[in-house]
Amino acid sequence: MLFQIRLCAVLLLQVVSLLSPPARAAEQAAWPSAGRVAGWVTSSDAGSSIGIKDSQVDGRGSIAVTYTLSTDHSWVEIRTATPAAYEQSNPFVFSVKNDGVTCDLEIKLIAANGSVFGRKVPLKGRYREWTRLVLTRASLEYWWGGDGTFDKPSAVALAISGSGAGQIWFAGMGTGAPGETPTFPPAGPVLDPNRDLAGYGFAARRSRTLSPEDPLVLEYLKRIQDKSSPDGWLVPAQEDNSAQTFNNALVAMAFTLKRERARAERILDFYARATIRSSEDPQLQNFYLRGEARGFYQNVTLRKADRIPAYHDAAGSSDRWMGDMAWLLLAAEYHDREFKSQRYRDLVNSIDGLLLAWFKNDGADTGYVQHGWRSGDKYLNEKSGHEEGNIDCYAVFQLLGDTEHAQRIKAWLSGQLQGRNTLPLDLYSWRALAYGKEAARLLSIPETDLRYRKSLTINGQSAMGFHHSADINVNNVWLDGLGHMACAEFACGDADRGRFYANQMDAFLIERRIGGVRTRALPYTALKNNPADWVDPKKGFSSACAWYIFAKNRFNPMMLTKSL
């Protein structure tokens, strides 16, 4: 009798197993490290922190990850080796839950040859309850490393990136069942069926003529410069009391381009004077701190209590970032070339010297400029290079005749970016601006891919522009990026496309009354939606206005030249 009971139980278990859905089979294939901290290792950028512990949430054994990200572009990560039996033909599955975080989750599978394939998932507003994710090889894009092939999985990593702090739980990591429905659509480009359309017009994305520049955009920059602070030197970012070095460099270049010499010099004089070697104030926007060259802060605010206007890193969290300083050098050099002046020679030399001090050889023929001081001078440089900032530095060194460092950076960028088709938009457009016609092919990646290129209806008319990254689920236009692409098309010799995208910017102009004066401006993005919740599309943004002026004048701010 006991044998018969056991036999029935075995048969019953076999029937239940056959009737189990694929999800159940996947959970049975969970990896040894699926819900336990043992077997996982953590890492982070130098300014961020991460903690992991075993946890029970809603009856599930899970890994609780607590994190704090130091800046808008920070990251933390957990990583574990994949089981020897795991093959890439099977899905990777896990469950996730969070406490209302606003960061992104980067899911990475690392091949044995070092190639990293990933998927970036925004967490804001998602996965407040346990949610099971199923990722197939088709769900992932090649990001970097190795030779770009996925031969054999060796590790999986879950990275948290962006900004803020919070807690995320992971459970049930393992091998999914063949044929499971993936959570995400296939990765890769979404090609526009009209991408090769000949002729002129909206669908063909070509224009025969360049529409006139609206002079009220330049007027907007003049008014916000006068209104931004008691001194009237710098311009704010979004009609506020912030002063970003990058935005001010661009506006100084726009003023120089439009022969507004005195206004360009107000901005550049501010930075030229902020070179007091004896400065003891770590929050002051000053190139030196106690005699040490550190560079200028990326973002500062006007402290209203100052009797003499002075800009400070009030929160003690801004970077002295190499990319911003490269743009400031370009602005100073452009002024001196246009006006046949030596007014900012010391400023140019100081920034050039600092960038060279941060240069790191990374091989026999390659190298990159390191980040600079991070998070309110808490630490100097990251362990890796920053691609966007090094395009800026390439342009600087090339412009100054330092071809050795320029070519080392170019070789390093090639190794980092070769074959990648899901980069941020400016890693395509800025390389085209920095390299010229040899990089024309790079523009076709975002230009033909509807994950980047977006069409909106603005004030009853169709308009086209670009999102800053490859995301088919976002329908918004980044106005800086539209300006980049217009200028890059001109720089690469496609005037028809350059005129088309420069003309598209007209549709996004908004009316602004600044200090009682009627002006027009462009906002940072056309709409207030993910991932630009902080944007006020009813206010102008100074960098977008500068790019509008560049585009209408066919100006390349990285080579300081105008196209015919």
Side-chain angles (χ1 to χ4, degrees):
M1 178 63 72
L2 182 61
F3 172 77
Q4 290 176 327
I5 291 173
R6 287 177 174 173
L7 179 62
C8 288
V10 169
L11 291 173
L12 180 60
L13 286 171
Q14 289 176 338
V15 171
V16 169
S17 175
L18 289 172
L19 293 177
S20 296
R24 179 61 182 166
E27 294 210 10
Q28 290 176 343
W31 301 346
S33 57
R36 294 182 293 110
V37 167
W40 291 87
V41 296
T42 66
S43 59
S44 68
D45 66 26
S48 301
S49 63
I50 180 173
I52 59 174
K53 64 179 181 179
D54 295 321
S55 179
Q56 283 285 329
V57 179
D58 301 331
R60 295 190 184 207
S62 60
I63 299 171
V65 178
T66 304
Y67 68 91
T68 299
L69 300 173
S70 61
T71 68
D72 288 341
H73 306 289
S74 296
W75 58 272
V76 299
E77 181 178 276
I78 63 172
R79 179 181 296 220
T80 191
T82 56
Y86 177 56
E87 297 291 340
Q88 63 151 315
S89 56
N90 295 317
F92 168 58
V93 301
F94 67 97
S95 294
V96 60
K97 173 184 169 71
N98 71 77
D99 64 356
V101 301
T102 59
C103 58
D104 296 325
L105 175 64
E106 298 178 13
I107 307 162
K108 307 174 190 178
L109 286 178
I110 298 97
N113 63 32
S115 301
V116 177
F117 293 78
R119 186 90 186 198
K120 188 173 184 176
V121 182
L123 294 184
K124 184 176 181 179
R126 299 183 182 182
Y127 313 143
R128 295 297 299 273
E129 302 299 330
W130 281 113
T131 305
R132 189 169 182 272
L133 304 182
V134 179
L135 287 100
T136 63
R137 167 65 188 86
S139 304
L140 307 174
E141 297 170 313
Y142 170 63
W143 279 0
W144 61 75
D147 60 9
T149 61
F150 203 132
D151 51 355
K152 171 72 178 175
S154 64
V156 63
L158 301 172
I160 300 162
S161 62
S163 60
Q167 187 164 234
I168 303 174
W169 295 271
F170 299 106
M173 292 85 163
T175 305
E180 278 197 80
T181 302
T183 303
F184 305 103
V190 180
L191 296 176
D192 179 6
N194 292 321
R195 62 190 180 277
D196 297 322
L197 192 64
Y200 293 86
F202 190 79
R205 309 175 312 285
R206 296 186 187 89
S207 294
R208 288 188 174 90
T209 60
L210 181 63
S211 60
E213 176 186 348
D214 190 330
L216 293 184
V217 177
L218 178 61
E219 190 65 30
Y220 172 81
L221 293 177
K222 292 180 182 180
R223 294 310 114 203
I224 62 166
Q225 185 183 36
D226 291 342
K227 186 178 180 293
S228 63
S229 67
D231 51 59
W233 291 338
L234 304 186
V235 298
Q238 189 176 243
E239 300 178 25
D240 51 21
N241 68 338
S242 71
Q244 296 177 352
T245 300
F246 172 70
N247 293 31
N248 276 276
L250 290 182
V251 173
M253 296 176 88
F255 282 150
T256 298
L257 181 63
K258 302 305 291 184
R259 313 305 290 181
E260 293 281 349
R261 180 172 183 171
R263 288 187 175 276
E265 289 176 356
R266 284 198 220 170
I267 294 172
L268 296 172
D269 281 354
F270 171 85
Y271 289 99
R273 292 167 181 165
T275 53
I276 303 168
R277 290 179 178 270
S278 60
S279 175
E280 296 283 331
D281 185 348
Q283 292 183 313
L284 184 66
Q285 180 65 302
N286 194 72
F287 192 81
Y288 296 94
L289 180 63
R290 303 182 188 95
E292 179 185 9
R294 294 198 174 197
F296 297 109
Y297 285 118
Q298 185 174 34
N299 186 41
V300 294
T301 55
L302 176 67
R303 196 167 66 185
K304 294 180 180 179
D306 290 337
R307 289 188 302 156
I308 300 174
Y311 293 81
H312 287 71
D313 172 24
S317 60
S318 185
D319 294 337
R320 302 180 191 253
W321 190 58
M322 38 82 86
D324 282 23
M325 280 180 279
W327 279 99
L328 182 60
L329 186 153
L330 290 171
E333 181 70 16
Y334 182 45
H335 169 281
D336 282 1
R337 293 190 182 196
E338 282 296 295
F339 298 119
K340 297 179 173 54
S341 166
Q342 294 289 310
R343 187 183 186 100
Y344 301 113
R345 189 54 35 209
D346 287 346
L347 179 62
V348 167
N349 290 340
S350 294
I351 297 174
D352 181 38
L354 190 59
L355 296 178
L356 287 173
W358 291 341
F359 188 87
K360 179 180 180 179
N361 287 317
D362 193 44
D365 300 306
T366 66
Y368 58 88
V369 177
Q370 295 170 288
H371 285 70
W373 287 92
R374 303 298 307 275
S375 303
D377 288 2
K378 290 182 177 64
Y379 61 98
L380 176 60
N381 295 327
E382 298 288 352
K383 294 180 180 178
S384 59
H386 192 285
E387 292 98 345
E388 176 200 303
N390 273 278
I391 297 172
D392 308 337
C393 291
Y394 166 85
V396 161
F397 293 143
Q398 190 73 9
L399 191 70
L400 297 180
D402 186 351
T403 55
E404 178 186 351
H405 286 98
Q407 291 307 309
R408 281 181 172 272
I409 290 175
K410 191 175 185 180
W412 179 80
L413 286 167
S414 178
Q416 295 291 115
L417 304 178
Q418 189 75 32
R420 294 168 62 184
N421 67 353
T422 56
L423 296 166
L425 177 70
D426 50 13
L427 291 183
Y428 302 112
S429 58
W430 285 13
R431 274 188 289 169
L433 289 169
Y435 301 165
K437 292 182 180 180
E438 69 177 80
R441 61 180 178 77
L442 294 174
L443 297 180
S444 66
I445 295 173
E447 212 279 324
T448 60
D449 188 344
L450 297 180
R451 296 175 304 166
Y452 291 97
R453 182 161 52 81
K454 311 294 180 179
S455 294
L456 302 178
T457 300
I458 300 293
N459 298 322
Q461 69 178 97
S462 296
M464 194 179 291
F466 294 86
H467 182 50
H468 69 69
S469 59
D471 193 335
I472 197 64
N473 298 311
V474 172
N475 198 35
N476 199 357
V477 170
W478 177 37
L479 276 307
D480 278 45
L482 178 53
H484 300 169
M485 288 295 289
C487 294
E489 295 285 7
F490 282 126
C492 289
D494 194 337
D496 290 341
R497 285 262 156 80
R499 287 189 291 262
F500 175 80
Y501 288 120
N503 291 346
Q504 295 306 298
M505 301 185 83
D506 296 332
F508 298 98
L509 290 171
I510 57 175
E511 296 281 337
R512 299 298 297 146
R513 186 164 289 274
I514 306 295
V517 178
R518 178 173 172 262
T519 72
R520 290 197 185 98
L522 288 97
Y524 189 71
T525 58
L527 304 174
K528 183 183 177 71
N529 64 21
N530 181 58
D533 296 337
W534 56 270
V535 172
D536 186 343
K538 296 181 180 179
K539 290 183 177 180
F541 206 88
S542 53
S543 60
C545 294
W547 281 105
Y548 173 87
I549 292 172
F550 297 163
K552 289 296 185 178
N553 289 273
R554 308 176 310 283
F555 178 64
N556 182 342
M558 286 189 159
M559 292 186 179
L560 309 184
T561 56
K562 292 177 68 172
S563 302
L564 297 177

